[in-house]
Amino acid sequence: SIRKFIQFQLTVNMVAVIVAFAGAVTEGQSPLTPVQLLWVNLIMDTFAALALATEAPTKDLLNRKPYGRNDSLITRIMWRNIIGQAVFQLALLAVMLYFPTLIPFTGLPKDKSTWTPTQLNISQHYTCQTIFTCHIFH
């Protein structure tokens, strides 16, 4: 339904904006490159559109009365789901952004000031892949 689509889009966009803004403010640059942000947007919009287009109508859905004119488009349960999922994803992404050396097998030095441009790209790649994974399994 359209409410599921809206819930997914709000969660995805809330997380992307907060990560980009917080990373830019605290690290001095965005944790994602512009191309990575475009890919996140493109892929997540595609998944949301596919989910919306491929949901089969059910008898219950067709027999349900329409929502009222004054009903909220986003319910309290939806806000709870959006905020809960966003907090989970932001916590995971905070580890990737601020403590990437805690992740095994990255090979990144503990002191971020000594990172080479290649090591910075590796960290950005891990952050981008974490965003994709969070949104795919959302």
Side-chain angles (χ1 to χ4, degrees):
S1 74
I2 192 72
R3 285 186 170 180
K4 290 179 186 176
F5 175 81
I6 290 171
Q7 180 176 323
F8 180 80
Q9 288 291 56
L10 283 175
T11 305
V12 167
N13 289 316
M14 182 186 304
V15 170
V17 166
I18 292 172
V19 166
F21 180 76
V25 168
T26 59
E27 298 289 316
Q29 64 182 9
S30 177
L32 299 171
T33 65
V35 173
Q36 287 172 330
L37 283 172
L38 287 172
W39 271 107
V40 167
N41 193 9
L42 176 70
I43 290 172
M44 294 309 116
D45 287 348
T46 303
F47 284 142
L50 281 172
L52 183 63
T54 58
E55 186 176 5
T58 62
K59 289 287 185 190
D60 292 337
L61 181 64
L62 296 175
N63 292 330
R64 179 184 55 80
K65 291 184 180 182
Y67 296 116
R69 176 178 285 173
N70 296 326
D71 286 352
S72 176
L73 186 59
I74 303 171
T75 64
R76 287 180 188 251
I77 293 172
M78 289 173 65
W79 276 119
R80 184 195 67 202
N81 293 340
I82 291 167
I83 292 169
Q85 187 64 231
V87 167
F88 169 74
Q89 291 180 21
L90 288 170
L92 187 60
L93 289 165
V95 170
M96 294 301 298
L97 182 60
Y98 298 112
F99 309 105
T101 56
L102 294 177
I103 310 301
F105 311 113
T106 60
L108 297 171
K110 295 226 182 260
D111 185 11
K112 282 178 115 175
S113 64
T114 63
W115 284 10
T116 64
T118 301
Q119 290 168 328
L120 179 62
N121 287 340
I122 290 169
S123 177
Q124 288 176 327
H125 173 77
Y126 286 143
T127 303
C128 185
Q129 290 303 314
T130 303
I131 289 175
F132 283 143
T133 305
C134 285
H135 294 329
I136 286 171
F137 291 107
H138 171 250

